[in-house]
Amino acid sequence: MTKSLYFVKINYIIKNKAENTCMKGLVIIMKVLIVGGVAGGAAAAARLRRLDETAEIILFERGEYISFANCGLPYYIGGTITAKDALTLQTPKSMNKRFNIDVRTKSEVTKIDTTAKTVTVKDLNTEKEYTEIYDKLILSPGASPIKPPIEGISSNKVFTLRNIPDTYRIKDHLEKEKPQKAAVVGGGYIGVEMAENLKNAGLDVTVVELAEHLIAPLDFDMAADVHNYILEKGINIILNNGVKKIEDNENGLKLVLNDGSLDVDMLIMSVGVRPDTAFLESSGIEKNDRGSIIVNEYMETNAKDVYAVGDAVEIKNFVTKSPAFIPLAGPAGKQGRIAADNICGSKSSYGGSIGSAILKLFDMTVATTGINEKTANAQGINYDKTYTYSPSHAGYYPGGKNMSLKLLWEKDTKKIIGAQIVGFDGVDKRMDVLACAIRLGAKVTDLTELELCYAPPFSSAKDPVNMAGFVAENVINGKMKQFFWHDVAHLKRDGSVTLLDVRTKTEAENGMIDGFINIPVDELREHLNMLPKDKPVYVHCHTGLRSYIACRILAAHGYDCYNLAGGWRLYKSVTDAKRSPDYPCYKCE
């Protein structure tokens, strides 16, 4: 057993401010053990070394790789990333050479004794166990893929994707077995990325999702655009359905679903992750019902001198202030840095996560930050929302495409609590601005004042973020009253209200909402006599901009006017998804 503290006699100078003298002393070398690498553990190790050159740092990793780009794994499978070594960010050798860290791979920590301050380690190469004593301990065991107790899930044609060995197994299967059809069970970020990359690898791909829509951080109305796009790209989606049983046969796999069945050659399970913390059962370290390690803002557990970071910990949702599980690489790295700071005496705290995330889906970009409507309703937050549909850059400059932006804010404080964007070019930078705004406590009206970079190839003089602020400001100050796509079906068609479509005649000929009459906005003033003033007027256009102008005209003439947020475009996208028997979500109502 290694001793806990080492005392090394050296000569060093300490300036005594009172007596201005020098003295000789002892340096105490601190021993820090880190369980797990990747984002949290590797970040903590590197930060510790930068803060303390003398500390003994040992990092244990159960697998072969201590620091790898797990977000890039699907792109190696799809062929976008071709070099294996591109996935490895640090090796044990490079980590030792640069940071003087003792990295022990294939070393599984099986037990922690917080009283004796020891960890028990199994060397997976020799199957022998040994103990190490610590002064400080950082837990970064991460999370492991959930494998539901489904009959047949142990088939060698069923895969999960969490680490580099998983990636190689999938890649080898594609190259050797030449599968033609694949199913991805789970429509989260990794599931959708895997679907794209399997499609790029030439497979016929189906995504099976138990919920009513893909990508859980999105609300259904924003996910509808994703559904339409992924179908256009040739990926099938089955929603509101799950796998009950997997039958392995010589022809491949038969997936017995809650409703129906599906024949494929291989299956990727991507139904989420759970904290990999079973080894802590007898340690006394406090966990929640999910298995997440409970920590305070300094990343300290309830055990003295034991810290925890990354996907295995329960953190605070920055918006709701409630406990949350947000397994993302960015927060994990920050938490590792904070734990190292506190171990080395620099008081540092973690304020929580807003869950900012982004997804590439072929040419489409999907990004979220903060909370969605589902969470806001569950938390009892009194919120409002707006939708905008803005070009990524100046309309007269070639190549621009519109992005759909949904914004949520708290009515009482006007603080932004969430945003979702689905589009193409420029989505990332707009979401980054909104994520900063949430973190800094900005009000939705503050977005109108942001001075963002503008040149025709990059943006418009009124950036999409500014436009979202302008629309919200109009709602807040009463210049615009809204109704939403989910209100349309409940509007009375008995003549007690006026339903008005202000798109052009050509647009209206391509489809109208039942019960609406068409008067183009540019002809509205000449046809006011057709609209009774004693009835509310519900107006829509394609995106909500022209109908806002129509509402301002009508309000000036004494009408009570309501504008359809997101317009015909959003309404059609969502209602088509809910109605069509040819569309996999037709049962979600």
Side-chain angles (χ1 to χ4, degrees), residues 177-287:
E177 302 300 327
K178 309 294 183 185
Q180 300 298 307
K181 294 182 179 181
V184 177
V185 177
Y189 282 99
I190 295 297
V192 171
E193 286 175 345
M194 274 305 305
E196 175 199 354
N197 281 282
L198 289 171
K199 184 67 178 178
N200 286 339
L203 279 73
D204 181 3
V205 183
T206 299
V207 179
V208 181
E209 169 57 51
L210 189 61
E212 68 170 8
H213 66 82
L214 304 178
I215 310 174
L218 292 176
D219 289 314
F220 180 83
D221 46 22
M222 296 296 285
D225 278 352
V226 179
H227 295 170
N228 288 325
Y229 182 76
I230 200 170
L231 287 169
E232 288 175 7
K233 290 295 183 180
I235 295 175
N236 307 305
I237 52 177
I238 299 174
L239 304 173
N240 298 295
N241 213 335
V243 178
K244 291 195 301 185
K245 182 180 177 182
I246 301 169
E247 297 178 358
D248 191 341
N249 54 61
E250 60 182 16
N251 296 320
L253 299 172
K254 179 177 181 179
L255 309 185
V256 180
L257 307 179
N258 295 333
D259 182 8
S261 64
L262 181 66
D263 292 319
V264 296
D265 300 319
M266 65 180 293
L267 169 64
I268 308 290
M269 291 297 302
S270 183
V271 295
V273 296
R274 62 165 57 94
D276 200 355
T277 56
F279 72 103
L280 298 176
E281 285 304 320
S282 62
S283 67
I285 294 171
E286 189 176 0
K287 299 183 291 181

Side-chain angles (χ1 to χ4, degrees), residues 227-422:
H227 295 170
N228 288 325
Y229 182 76
I230 200 170
L231 287 169
E232 288 175 7
K233 290 295 183 180
I235 295 175
N236 307 305
I237 52 177
I238 299 174
L239 304 173
N240 298 295
N241 213 335
V243 178
K244 291 195 301 185
K245 182 180 177 182
I246 301 169
E247 297 178 358
D248 191 341
N249 54 61
E250 60 182 16
N251 296 320
L253 299 172
K254 179 177 181 179
L255 309 185
V256 180
L257 307 179
N258 295 333
D259 182 8
S261 64
L262 181 66
D263 292 319
V264 296
D265 300 319
M266 65 180 293
L267 169 64
I268 308 290
M269 291 297 302
S270 183
V271 295
V273 296
R274 62 165 57 94
D276 200 355
T277 56
F279 72 103
L280 298 176
E281 285 304 320
S282 62
S283 67
I285 294 171
E286 189 176 0
K287 299 183 291 181
N288 64 16
D289 292 341
R290 182 192 288 267
S292 298
I293 303 166
I294 297 174
V295 295
N296 61 18
E297 67 268 35
Y298 308 115
M299 308 314 298
E300 296 170 319
T301 70
N302 63 308
K304 181 176 173 57
D305 296 322
V306 180
Y307 298 75
V309 303
D311 294 355
V313 304
E314 173 189 278
I315 53 90
K316 179 176 68 176
N317 184 299
F318 182 83
V319 175
T320 67
K321 311 305 179 188
S322 301
F325 177 61
I326 304 177
L328 294 169
K334 294 178 181 68
Q335 293 158 18
R337 180 185 177 93
I338 288 166
D341 283 350
N342 287 304
I343 285 173
C344 293
S346 299
K347 210 64 175 176
S348 182
S349 62
Y350 187 67
S353 175
I354 59 176
S356 299
I358 192 164
L359 164 73
K360 171 192 171 294
L361 177 57
F362 299 102
D363 294 326
M364 176 177 271
T365 306
V366 181
T368 62
T369 191
I371 63 174
N372 58 17
E373 285 198 71
K374 181 179 180 180
T375 302
N377 286 321
Q379 293 286 327
I381 297 173
N382 184 23
Y383 70 94
D384 210 340
K385 61 184 178 182
T386 54
Y387 303 84
T388 54
Y389 194 58
S390 305
S392 57
H393 59 247
Y396 57 83
Y397 189 88
K401 291 185 178 180
N402 283 354
M403 63 181 70
S404 184
L405 192 160
K406 181 176 184 177
L407 202 58
L408 278 65
W409 72 91
E410 191 176 30
K411 283 187 177 180
D412 296 337
T413 64
K414 300 181 181 61
K415 284 187 177 181
I416 305 166
I417 59 172
Q420 303 162 43
I421 308 179
V422 177

Side-chain angles (χ1 to χ4, degrees), residues 17-33:
K17 294 181 180 179
E19 301 178 5
N20 195 27
T21 61
C22 295
M23 57 186 292
K24 293 182 179 181
L26 296 174
V27 170
I28 299 177
I29 295 181
M30 174 175 59
K31 184 175 182 180
V32 184
L33 304 184

Side-chain angles (χ1 to χ4, degrees), residues 28 35 65 78 81 103 171 210 218 236 278 289 308 327 386 415 429 486 509 534 557:
I28 299 177
V35 180
Y65 304 90
I81 297 172
V103 178
K171 186 75 169 179
L210 189 61
L218 292 176
N236 307 305
D289 292 341
T386 54
K415 284 187 177 181
K429 69 177 182 178
H486 46 77
E509 287 171 0
D534 60 345
H557 286 85

Side-chain angles (χ1 to χ4, degrees), residues 68-133:
F68 58 90
N70 52 356
C71 295
L73 301 181
Y75 300 101
Y76 177 76
I77 293 169
T80 302
I81 297 172
T82 57
K84 282 187 175 183
D85 58 3
L87 299 173
T88 306
L89 305 179
Q90 287 279 3
T91 65
K93 184 177 180 180
S94 66
M95 198 84 171
N96 178 265
K97 187 170 184 180
R98 176 163 295 181
F99 297 108
N100 190 26
I101 292 167
D102 181 357
V103 178
R104 302 180 188 177
T105 58
K106 305 290 284 185
S107 298
E108 180 179 8
V109 173
T110 58
K111 184 180 178 182
I112 294 174
D113 186 333
T114 57
T115 302
K117 301 183 79 171
T118 63
V119 302
T120 301
V121 186
K122 177 189 278 189
D123 184 330
L124 297 179
N125 292 311
T126 65
E127 295 298 315
K128 293 182 179 180
E129 287 192 341
Y130 63 95
T131 59
E132 286 282 356
I133 199 164

Side-chain angles (χ1 to χ4, degrees), residues 134-168:
Y134 64 84
D135 297 313
K136 305 288 183 181
L137 174 64
I138 299 177
L139 302 174
S140 180
S144 55
I146 294 172
K147 295 188 75 173
I150 299 171
E151 182 182 343
I153 199 168
S154 59
S155 167
N156 60 8
K157 299 167 190 169
V158 177
F159 303 87
T160 57
L161 179 63
R162 186 63 180 172
N163 53 37
I164 288 180
D166 290 343
T167 308
Y168 293 163

